[in-house]
Amino acid sequence: MSDKHQQSAKSSISVSSRHHSIILLAVTTRFLQWGILGILIPVSNLLRMSKGLTLPELGFSAAITAGIVVALELPTGVIADRIGRKRTYLASLAFMAASCTALLFASGFAMVSMAFALYGVSRALSSGSLEALMIDRYIEANGDSTLHRLMSFVSAADTAGLALGCIAGGYIPGLWTAIALNSNRYQGNLLVMLVLLFLLTMLVVFSVAEEKPDPQKQATLKRFMAESLSFIRFSPALLVFLGAGAAWGIAFSAIETYWQPQVASIVGSAGSDRLNGFLSAGYFLAALIGSLWLCRQNVGNTRRMVHSCWCSRGIEFSFSFCSKPLWWTNKELVPNYAACLALVIVLSPQYNAEIV
């Protein structure tokens, strides 16, 4: 074999190795990140109530957390440009750990809401930071023609992590109660989250290459907001993304806030944790099935179908929640999640193309 052919073969092997390493790292980090959140999801509002919050206060506490995320979304984008996306993501993990630690000791509306506010800061900092870095590395190595495949793998990892985390999160309270009889039954969830956060932090520190911030991208907050508003104003696609996201968030927030107490009131608090875990895992697994099916389809041909599915399923399950306390979870929420994750996979490459 000639030197030229040997160099070409080595180059192909190197590109293939880099391709798979990027996918593996992206899948592993996202699986852990969303698995950690999954441990909290099936008991999050029951945890709030166990710390002294009343049912009417749940909505206010959730609104504070959501408000923190929205308020910090743009400023954290500036932070990522200034210090790098890896450092920003590590900061998000630090705030998540601070939130879990605070929740171990918090009691009452003010302290619990403050602890969940730290969680909101974490979500704002982690919003797209490491994912965007992985996407950039993938495009550098492979171009953007197969980006939807990376997004399919990442979305599948997200959903698998959420589903398994939810199942674990439903079982941990019972196990923790057997170990520590006199402590809050949900403290075990927080302690497991802290352990997994440490593992994820070590993985990111030692496996993700350090990113050197680009001085040309280090805009001030004012300039960053002006550029962002300009992008949105002159991009119909981004307007659709934002409008759809806002509509979904408003409709789904009421469901997310009150479904856990509703299930607990039907089956009793002692048996609701495991059921909540399986119910949560059920609709995330449905989303996983939707993502794996969609990655085999022609993305262009499915876009209109997914838009229609989003709208119709969203309206249907919003009405069904009013009259079907448990049945709606399997009949309405599961297909809705499948449709919405399919939408994420279909439009993520287009969204990335709009903002790059």
Side-chain angles (χ1 to χ4, degrees):
M1 183 182 291
S2 66
D3 292 342
K4 184 176 181 180
H5 288 165
Q6 288 179 346
Q7 292 176 356
S8 177
K10 290 181 180 179
S11 176
S12 299
I13 293 173
S14 176
V15 170
S16 177
S17 176
R18 187 181 180 189
H19 167 82
H20 292 296
S21 65
I22 292 172
I23 292 179
L24 179 61
L25 182 58
V27 166
T28 305
T29 53
R30 298 286 289 189
F31 177 84
L32 282 174
Q33 175 185 334
W34 289 100
I36 292 168
L37 293 177
I39 291 174
L40 180 64
I41 284 174
V43 299
S44 59
N45 287 311
L46 299 178
L47 170 62
R48 283 184 170 104
M49 296 181 71
S50 74
K51 294 287 186 175
L53 272 68
T54 63
L55 196 60
E57 289 175 335
L58 288 180
F60 289 104
S61 181
I64 292 172
T65 304
I68 293 290
V69 176
V70 173
L72 294 181
E73 191 67 32
L74 288 179
T76 52
V78 176
I79 292 173
D81 287 340
R82 287 186 172 274
I83 69 174
R85 288 171 287 190
K86 176 182 175 178
R87 291 189 180 95
T88 302
Y89 185 75
L90 289 174
S92 77
L93 298 182
F95 273 99
M96 177 66 80
S99 174
C100 292
T101 304
L103 283 171
L104 287 172
F105 306 100
S107 180
F109 176 80
M111 296 302 297
V112 172
S113 296
M114 187 178 299
F116 271 99
L118 294 174
Y119 167 80
V121 175
S122 171
R123 292 299 302 271
L125 286 169
S126 67
S127 177
S129 53
L130 190 64
E131 180 183 10
L133 182 58
M134 293 292 101
I135 289 175
D136 286 349
R137 296 291 179 267
Y138 184 88
I139 292 176
E140 290 172 4
N142 306 282
D144 59 1
S145 61
T146 60
L147 182 59
H148 69 281
R149 294 179 183 174
L150 172 67
M151 300 310 299
S152 295
F153 281 116
V154 168
S155 296
D158 292 351
T159 314
L162 280 166
L164 293 176
C166 286
I167 293 174
Y171 273 94
I172 290 172
L175 297 174
W176 179 253
T177 301
I179 297 172
L181 293 175
N182 297 322
S183 64
N184 185 294
R185 64 185 287 106
Y186 302 113
Q187 288 198 4
N189 294 62
L190 299 173
L191 292 173
V192 172
M193 290 173 67
L194 286 170
V195 172
L196 293 178
L197 280 168
F198 175 77
L199 295 177
L200 178 56
T201 300
M202 293 299 100
L203 177 63
V204 173
V205 167
F206 294 109
S207 300
V208 178
E210 193 71 41
E211 179 192 18
K212 294 182 179 180
D214 187 352
Q216 296 181 349
K217 294 183 178 180
Q218 294 184 14
T220 63
L221 177 59
K222 182 178 179 180
R223 177 184 169 189
F224 186 85
M225 293 185 67
E227 291 178 351
S228 299
L229 292 174
S230 178
F231 271 121
I232 295 171
R233 181 181 178 185
F234 296 104
S235 174
L238 287 179
L239 287 173
V240 172
F241 291 142
L242 291 174
W248 164 249
I250 292 171
F252 193 68
S253 61
I255 306 293
E256 267 306 276
T257 300
Y258 295 111
W259 76 270
Q260 293 169 16
Q262 175 74 352
V263 172
S265 70
I266 295 171
V267 301
S269 58
S272 66
D273 295 328
R274 289 194 297 272
L275 179 58
N276 286 343
F278 279 106
L279 291 177
S280 299
Y283 56 74
F284 287 129
L285 285 174
L288 174 59
I289 293 171
S291 71
L292 294 176
W293 171 78
L294 187 63
C295 71
R296 296 175 174 270
Q297 309 303 313
N298 184 311
V299 172
N301 291 339
T302 59
R303 183 173 299 145
R304 182 176 299 176
M305 177 271 293
V306 174
H307 275 294
S308 300
C309 192
W310 177 312
C311 295
S312 62
R313 299 305 304 182
I315 294 171
E316 184 177 354
F317 98 81
S318 296
F319 279 106
S320 70
F321 176 72
C322 299
S323 57
K324 304 163 189 173
L326 274 179
W327 181 72
W328 64 272
T329 303
N330 296 319
K331 178 66 169 59
E332 310 297 341
L333 196 56
V334 167
N336 210 339
Y337 257 80
C340 289
L341 188 63
L343 180 68
V344 170
I345 298 169
V346 168
L347 297 184
S348 287
Q350 182 181 346
Y351 174 76
N352 187 71
E354 289 288 334
I355 63 176
V356 170

